[in-house]
Amino acid sequence: MPLVDEIAGFHPEMTAWRRELHSHPETAFEENWTAAFIADKLSAFGLPFESGIARTGIVATLKGRLGEGPAIGLRADMDALDITEMTNLPYRSTISGKMHACGHDGHMTMLLGAARHLAANPDFAGTVHFIFQPAEEMNGGGKVMVEEGLFERFPMERVFGLHNWPGQAFGSFSGKPGPMLASSDLFEITVKGRAAHAAMPHLGIDPVTVAGELIGALQTIASRTVDPLEAAVVSITQVHGGDAWNIIPDEVVLRGTVRTFQPAVRDAVEARVKAIATGVAGLHGATASVWYDRRYPPTVNTAAEVALALDAAGAAADQDHVIPDPASSMASEDFAYMLEKTPGAYLWLGSGPGPALHSSGYDFNDELLPLGASYWVRLVERLLAPTA
Ligand SMILES: [Zn+2]
Ligand SMILES: [Zn+2]
């Protein structure tokens, strides 16, 4: 593979950084040790940076030595998950109940590798902002960075993200224009009935049977409301109610998530969740209240930036390792908030067969480190080439 030679040379050091990060997983907005680790490395590279953006986020800025030019942002996520690691790796998590099970340890390391190389070889015209973003998994650190003025404090024309992707051919890059990942919404339905002795159900209103009917009815949204050629997922993930063998409870709470790609589908699904919940409950004399929270928007790439990113990927990995039209995923990603504000592209870096993201046996493959770092460097070379 046509890696950047100097980066290939510090592969062992990057591997050591990645494993150190892996053993210190920190979750949303608590990435303090992680931020200090990154700040320490950036200082060693001689890169100025600002910290404390979205609490634990960091942005480092490097100006090229070949003159003026555009500014771009390269983003890595920092947070870990509330998962107990089940590997026996010598560098496994040292923090109980927390784990880097999504490879963000690898993402930070690849961006640090690129920052190190570019700081020593700023052979470009323009500005690179290295964005280390907290709280990707659930709490929208990307949104908070945008709200705290990411694009005003560090003006940039384009922004790019990269995520490792198990199941995609090892060392391959994929991406496409339009939605790569879905929107993610949460909902909670509280079905209120009236408690009664379990042997005398006619004296109460049973929220359990209402909830059961509701779980089935909600599945008709994807199958009967949404155009079959559009994508939508409605998943009920929690059912809470009752604590006795012989008492019909007062209420049952259902919780779940909705995933869509298109704004109109998102609107339609939200409306149907509410209508079905109140309708089914009303049919049985119960009531339903619905809390519905729109979280991450879909992650939508812009066409020109995807082409530039895949071209850079082809220069880092060989052209036959570039997949230009991958299937989208119904997972979601808060890089979406940055793409809402600025043109850009989010690519997947294939990590081959192995445990899925968010599984307790997952580990980022260190063989990807020089490849991902080289991709960042090739992207900077292309986007910030001096004009003759
Ligand atoms: Zn994740
Ligand atoms: Zn992730």
Side-chain angles (χ1 to χ4, degrees):
M1 286 176 191
L3 298 174
V4 176
D5 286 341
E6 291 87 344
I7 288 181
F10 55 78
H11 189 182
E13 236 173 309
M14 280 197 287
T15 301
W17 299 346
R18 207 284 296 178
R19 294 179 178 186
E20 209 174 331
L21 287 164
H22 187 85
S23 64
H24 290 87
E26 295 172 304
T27 46
F29 299 120
E30 294 173 355
E31 303 92 337
N32 294 303
W33 184 93
T34 306
F37 180 94
I38 291 168
D40 183 58
K41 293 286 174 283
L42 294 170
S43 299
F45 308 156
L47 268 178
F49 62 88
E50 290 189 37
S51 53
I53 305 164
R55 282 193 247 176
T56 48
I58 294 178
V59 178
T61 299
L62 176 64
K63 287 195 182 302
R65 65 174 159 212
L66 303 183
E68 293 301 310
I72 62 171
L74 312 178
R75 171 269 202 177
D77 36 20
M78 301 165 71
D79 55 324
L81 288 147
D82 291 306
I83 293 176
T84 298
E85 181 160 352
M86 299 300 278
T87 76
N88 281 318
L89 296 166
Y91 52 87
R92 66 183 169 273
S93 170
T94 56
I95 300 175
S96 166
K98 310 224 180 227
M99 176 186 179
H100 267 298
C102 204
H104 300 183
D105 46 353
H107 302 165
M108 289 183 276
T109 303
M110 293 188 292
L111 192 56
L112 283 172
R116 173 174 164 172
H117 175 80
L118 289 166
N121 307 276
D123 301 322
F124 56 88
T127 304
V128 180
H129 299 295
F130 301 91
I131 305 165
F132 295 90
Q133 180 222 294
E136 189 284 320
E137 293 291 356
M138 271 296 283
N139 295 295
K143 181 177 190 226
V144 180
M145 281 192 107
V146 170
E147 287 169 351
E148 291 192 9
L150 175 68
F151 294 116
E152 291 78 32
R153 292 166 67 183
F154 310 94
M156 61 189 88
E157 280 89 343
R158 293 166 161 151
V159 68
F160 295 87
L162 181 66
H163 203 294
N164 80 102
W165 207 241
Q168 181 180 307
F170 177 83
S172 65
F173 289 83
S174 71
K176 65 178 178 184
M180 283 272 285
L181 293 145
S183 61
S184 169
D185 300 339
L186 302 179
F187 63 85
E188 179 181 277
I189 301 170
T190 304
V191 179
K192 276 207 191 317
R194 195 171 64 243
H197 194 298
M200 302 160 200
H202 59 294
L203 299 180
I205 297 171
D206 184 2
V208 177
T209 49
V210 174
E213 218 172 295
L214 199 44
I215 290 168
L218 289 168
Q219 292 311 313
T220 66
I221 298 174
S223 68
R224 303 290 90 177
T225 296
V226 176
D227 181 335
L229 298 178
E230 297 285 357
V233 174
V234 180
S235 288
I236 303 284
T237 53
Q238 300 180 43
V239 181
H240 302 278
D243 50 18
W245 292 90
N246 56 354
I247 301 169
I248 291 167
D250 258 326
E251 68 173 44
V252 171
V253 173
L254 304 177
R255 297 194 183 115
T257 181
V258 169
R259 308 299 172 103
T260 58
F261 290 123
Q262 300 300 336
V265 175
R266 195 181 196 184
D267 291 345
V269 173
E270 178 177 350
R272 288 303 293 158
V273 167
K274 291 174 175 168
I276 289 174
T278 50
V280 169
L283 199 59
H284 298 283
T287 60
S289 56
V290 181
W291 170 86
Y292 193 100
D293 193 31
R294 292 191 174 207
R295 295 290 179 104
Y296 298 177
T299 302
V300 182
N301 285 336
T302 45
E305 282 64 32
V306 171
L308 291 161
L310 291 179
D311 181 55
D318 283 334
Q319 206 52 48
D320 64 347
H321 280 78
V322 172
I323 302 167
D325 191 24
S328 303
S329 167
M330 299 309 288
S332 63
E333 158 67 64
D334 77 348
F335 186 61
Y337 292 107
M338 296 187 190
L339 288 177
E340 278 190 330
K341 299 285 179 204
T342 302
Y346 176 87
L347 297 191
W348 285 319
L349 171 55
S351 52
L357 299 175
H358 295 200
S359 78
S360 58
Y362 171 87
D363 186 37
F364 184 87
N365 188 329
D366 290 318
E367 294 309 308
L368 293 172
L369 294 172
L371 185 57
S374 294
Y375 160 69
W376 288 131
V377 170
R378 297 296 183 217
L379 189 62
V380 170
E381 287 172 355
R382 273 163 174 68
L383 291 174
L384 304 183
T387 45

